[in-house]
């Protein structure tokens, strides 16, 4: 049987899915490519995912999945014993779904539109303002999420895929020092997750 192929890029959201696949024990071929750089890698990515985003997952039967949250939920269907997602009968599932969609639906787009602002507005004051407003929105969202998470994991005693998002995304702008100062609960969740050897191995591959 073919295995999964995870298309990703160093330091990107694909690291979240790489961690999840390792924790779930799902064999997977990793294809790293410079997702923004014109060339054969990006050409292939655009054929599979018209947004040109990573993670993009090729399933063993050749079907394509985009969107990290969808992929995480799928991995839970394949390997529920890994505990990536609380089961439907667990009360933690409500918080899980809320925060998962908050992170992916609200925080992630602040990077989509805030990382390279001139792509959306052309260079100049509008681009500068878009950078400021997306940064403000992101930091407000993280503060909100910080107030909602437990300890030592985002869901309290229970590990979940949320911890992987927080661990990877707290390394992105405004970065770990900002999280330590302004969102200590999220910084603590990331620190706890790093103790998992699968998480540590993926962090070493992506962020060294
Ligand atoms: N909603 C998507 C967002 C993925 C995403 O934006 N990935 C970034 C890399 S970390 C990307 O590919 N950016 C390129 C772009 O948006 O053009 C998900 O959750 O998978």
């Amino acid at each position: 049987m073919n295995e999964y192929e995870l298309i990703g890029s160093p330091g990107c959201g694909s690291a979240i899915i790489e961690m999840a696949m390792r924790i779930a024990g799902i064999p997977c071929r990793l294809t790293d490519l410079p997702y923004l750089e014109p060339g054969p890698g990006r050409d292939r990515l655009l054929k599979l995912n018209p947004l040109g985003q990573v993670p993009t997952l090729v399933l063993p039967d050749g079907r394509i999945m985009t969107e990290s949250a969808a992929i995480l939920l799928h991995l839970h269907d394949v390997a529920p014993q890994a505990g990536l997602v609380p089961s439907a009968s667990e009360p933690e599932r409500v918080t899980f779904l809320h925060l998962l969609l908050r992170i992916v639906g609200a925080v992630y787009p602040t990077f989509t539109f805030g990382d390279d602002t001139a792509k959306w507005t052309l260079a100049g004051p509008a681009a500068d303002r878009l950078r400021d407003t997306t940064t403000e929105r992101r930091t407000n969202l993280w503060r909100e999420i910080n107030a909602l998470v437990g300890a030592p994991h985002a869901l309290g005693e229970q590990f979940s895929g949320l911890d992987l998002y927080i661990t990877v995304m707290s390394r992105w702008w405004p970065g770990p020092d900002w999280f330590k100062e302004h969102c200590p609960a999220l910084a603590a969740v990331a620190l706890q997750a790093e103790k998992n050897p699968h998480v540590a191995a993926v962090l070493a591959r992506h962020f060294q």
Side-chain angles (χ1 to χ4, degrees):
M1 189 181 92
N2 291 331
E3 58 185 8
Y4 284 87
E5 179 189 5
L6 173 61
I7 301 174
S9 211
C12 280
S14 49
I16 297 160
I17 299 304
E18 192 176 325
M19 289 169 181
M21 297 203 79
R22 284 185 64 132
I23 289 168
I26 299 174
C28 163
R29 183 155 53 90
L30 301 174
T31 301
D32 285 345
L33 50 84
Y35 62 107
L36 294 174
E37 207 173 279
R42 179 163 168 82
D43 290 347
R44 176 174 177 236
L45 177 62
L46 284 169
K47 280 197 193 113
L48 302 176
N49 177 357
L51 288 185
Q53 292 183 334
V54 295
T56 289
L57 189 69
V58 186
L59 271 63
D61 64 8
R63 283 180 297 166
I64 307 302
M65 272 191 102
T66 66
E67 296 300 335
S68 58
I71 294 170
L72 185 71
L73 293 167
H74 168 69
L75 297 181
H76 172 67
D77 290 343
V78 173
Q81 75 287 350
L84 296 168
V85 177
S87 68
S89 59
E90 289 173 299
E92 288 82 1
R93 190 170 168 102
V94 171
T95 310
F96 174 85
L97 291 172
H98 174 191
L99 294 184
L100 177 67
L101 273 292
R102 201 69 163 153
I103 290 171
V104 174
V107 179
Y108 220 142
T110 69
F111 293 98
T112 310
F113 301 109
D115 272 356
D116 178 12
T117 50
K119 180 170 149 189
W120 308 104
T121 63
L122 300 179
D128 296 341
R129 176 150 170 79
L130 182 58
R131 181 173 307 281
D132 291 346
T133 50
T134 49
T135 299
E136 187 187 356
R137 188 174 175 88
R138 183 184 311 150
T139 50
N140 286 342
L141 282 161
W142 281 133
R143 285 188 171 95
E144 177 205 331
I145 295 166
N146 184 68
L148 296 174
V149 298
H153 304 291
L155 295 179
E157 289 305 316
Q158 189 173 348
F159 160 81
S160 73
L162 289 176
D163 303 323
L164 308 179
Y165 275 94
I166 291 165
T167 302
V168 170
M169 292 177 87
S170 62
R171 283 170 161 73
W172 301 348
W173 184 261
D177 289 340
W178 182 88
F179 277 86
K180 268 184 224 141
E181 187 177 347
H182 299 281
C183 293
L186 294 177
V189 165
L191 212 58
Q192 175 67 27
E194 285 165 28
K195 292 181 191 160
N196 179 307
H198 295 300
V199 173
V202 176
L203 287 176
R205 203 176 89 70
H206 282 264
F207 290 96
Q208 298 304 313

